[in-house]
Amino acid sequence: HPGTGTCYQQAKRVLHAAVPDRLHGRERETGAIRQFLREHLGARRPGSLYIAGAPGTGKTACVSRVLRDCQDELAGSRTVILNCMSLSSSHAVFPAVAEQLGLPAARAAGREIVRRLEKELTAQGPMVLLVLDEMDQLDSKGQDVLYTIFEWPRLPGSRLVLIG
């Protein structure tokens, strides 16, 4: 079940990557991700971070490593980790996130799921860290999915921290 285990165990399962003990040559990158989490999750400030790079350069490994190292800081927030490669379509990200957050989304239409998610992410509660691995898979024709998701941290009262 996706809701079981520590954030790190969940990340390891979803990201399907062994997390090395040391990421040689990626100290600057892991430091930047760690700093971002501190400034946003720690300070309860919504925000987004987009990590780009060629395949195989360590983007997933860096994020996994930071999640493992920052378990204490993450303890007070909800962490949702999705690998977008596993989705049937770009719009499938919405019910997948809703399910991870425990929202009933099974029978809701597309726009209704987005509305429920936005309501949930702006309601009172713990900060939510949403990690979308392989996010470029959501680059649908109209890019509406990516635009919608990157708007979430900017909604009034948002408690979302997004890493793509």
Side-chain angles (χ1 to χ4, degrees):
H1 184 266
T4 59
T6 64
C7 294
Y8 167 63
Q9 289 162 337
Q10 188 189 349
K12 207 164 112 181
R13 266 200 310 278
V14 176
L15 301 174
H16 300 296
V19 183
D21 285 330
R22 299 224 18 235
L23 279 171
H24 297 287
R26 287 283 174 249
E27 293 79 14
R28 204 178 84 226
E29 289 82 358
T30 54
I33 298 166
R34 203 172 273 124
Q35 181 69 20
F36 170 80
L37 286 178
R38 235 176 250 128
E39 288 173 1
H40 291 274
L41 278 182
R44 290 194 60 87
R45 277 181 43 223
S48 58
L49 177 67
Y50 184 73
I51 301 171
T57 52
K59 300 176 297 293
T60 298
C62 284
V63 172
S64 302
R65 179 70 221 208
V66 171
L67 292 180
R68 184 170 99 178
D69 292 346
C70 296
Q71 287 185 54
D72 293 348
E73 291 100 311
L74 295 172
S77 56
R78 290 282 315 268
T79 301
V80 173
I81 302 161
L82 274 185
N83 187 321
C84 299
M85 290 272 271
S86 66
L87 301 172
S88 55
S89 73
S90 55
H91 284 269
V93 71
F94 299 125
V97 171
E99 185 189 337
Q100 291 277 325
L101 289 173
L103 295 178
R107 290 184 305 281
R111 209 47 238 163
E112 175 62 19
I113 292 174
V114 172
R115 202 189 59 74
R116 283 186 198 170
L117 280 164
E118 290 175 351
K119 192 175 171 194
E120 173 67 20
L121 293 170
T122 55
Q124 289 293 313
M127 293 298 283
V128 175
L129 171 62
L130 175 59
V131 179
L132 296 177
D133 195 26
E134 306 284 355
M135 187 185 218
D136 53 318
Q137 300 296 315
L138 303 181
D139 194 5
S140 58
K141 287 185 180 74
Q143 293 186 325
D144 55 314
V145 172
L146 285 177
Y147 283 123
T148 299
I149 293 170
F150 273 99
E151 276 301 307
W152 288 347
R154 307 178 66 140
L155 296 170
S158 178
R159 55 191 172 96
L160 179 70
V161 175
L162 170 67
I163 296 181

